């Protein structure tokens, strides 16, 4: 099992990592943002985000320029739980890790297989989505949007 804690800014690919973990918690200070959406091109790593938040939750967030922590993280299932402090999150994760370490390895493997059911086609899907992203990022629209996005920093 892969456990993850989001404590501060979690942007773009970091959201993909948080979504790919088996169990993710956030803190009240966490700030989730899919920055690729601000420049309006497709994400090749969205499969993990979509899996974690559900298709409906992801679809609702992907049309927003800046999905907030509440909209994506807390409200749509990216986080299993949200804690006020890093210490509270760490304590929870340590307790969970200890529990998981004493659990049946066979049961843990079966649980992981069930939770990743329906992803068997991801090798093909990720390659297809990466090709779409590659094509879209080279359009004049995306180049202009990326330039405008960089200019805001």
């Amino acid at each position: 099992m892969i456990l993850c804690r989001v404590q501060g800014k979690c942007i773009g690919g970091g959201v993909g990592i948080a979504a790919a973990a088996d169990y993710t918690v956030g803190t009240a200070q966490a700030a989730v943002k899919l920055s690729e959406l601000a420049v309006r091109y497709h994400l090749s790593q969205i499969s993990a985000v979509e899996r974690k938040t559900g298709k409906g939750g992801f679809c609702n967030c992907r049309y927003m320029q800046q999905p907030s922590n509440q909209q994506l993280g807390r409200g749509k299932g990216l986080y299993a739980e949200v804690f006020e402090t890093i210490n509270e999150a760490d304590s929870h994760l340590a307790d969970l890790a200890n529990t998981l370490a004493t659990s049946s390895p066979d049961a843990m493997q079966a649980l992981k297989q069930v939770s990743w059911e329906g992803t068997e086609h991801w090798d093909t899907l990720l390659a297809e989505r990466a090709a779409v992203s590659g094509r879209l990022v080279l359009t004049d629209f995306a180049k202009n949007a990326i330039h405008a996005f960089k200019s805001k920093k």
Side-chain angles (χ1 to χ4, degrees):
M1 294 283 286
I2 298 171
L3 308 179
C4 178
R5 177 193 73 209
V6 178
Q7 67 186 35
K9 290 184 179 181
C10 185
I11 301 171
V15 179
I17 291 169
D22 296 303
Y23 187 86
T24 301
V25 299
T27 67
Q29 299 77 30
V32 175
K33 181 178 177 184
L34 293 170
S35 57
E36 293 87 344
L37 296 178
V39 296
R40 305 287 197 272
Y41 70 89
H42 196 274
L43 300 166
S44 59
Q45 79 269 19
I46 64 166
S47 299
V49 177
E50 187 179 300
R51 174 192 159 268
K52 186 70 73 122
T53 64
K55 189 172 284 285
F58 179 75
C59 287
N60 289 338
C61 287
R62 75 175 174 202
Y63 296 114
M64 300 172 194
Q65 282 192 354
Q66 297 179 359
S68 70
N69 193 46
Q70 178 63 33
Q71 292 161 329
L72 185 61
R74 296 177 188 167
K76 301 298 181 196
L78 181 64
Y79 306 142
E81 297 189 51
V82 177
F83 297 91
E84 286 301 313
T85 68
I86 292 171
N87 288 340
E88 290 172 347
D90 285 351
S91 177
H92 173 75
L93 289 175
D95 289 346
L96 178 58
N98 287 330
T99 299
L100 295 174
T102 61
S103 298
S104 161
D106 293 331
M108 295 301 300
Q109 181 180 13
L111 177 61
K112 192 157 181 137
Q113 286 174 334
V114 168
S115 68
W116 284 91
E117 233 170 45
T119 63
E120 297 82 11
H121 67 295
W122 274 18
D123 287 344
T124 304
L125 178 66
L126 293 176
E128 290 170 359
R129 289 185 173 176
V132 170
S133 292
R135 181 176 47 81
L136 292 176
V137 76
L138 296 175
T139 64
D140 288 339
F141 185 89
K143 288 177 185 177
N144 292 334
I146 291 168
H147 177 71
F149 181 75
K150 287 182 175 180
S151 298
K152 290 180 183 179
K153 291 183 178 185

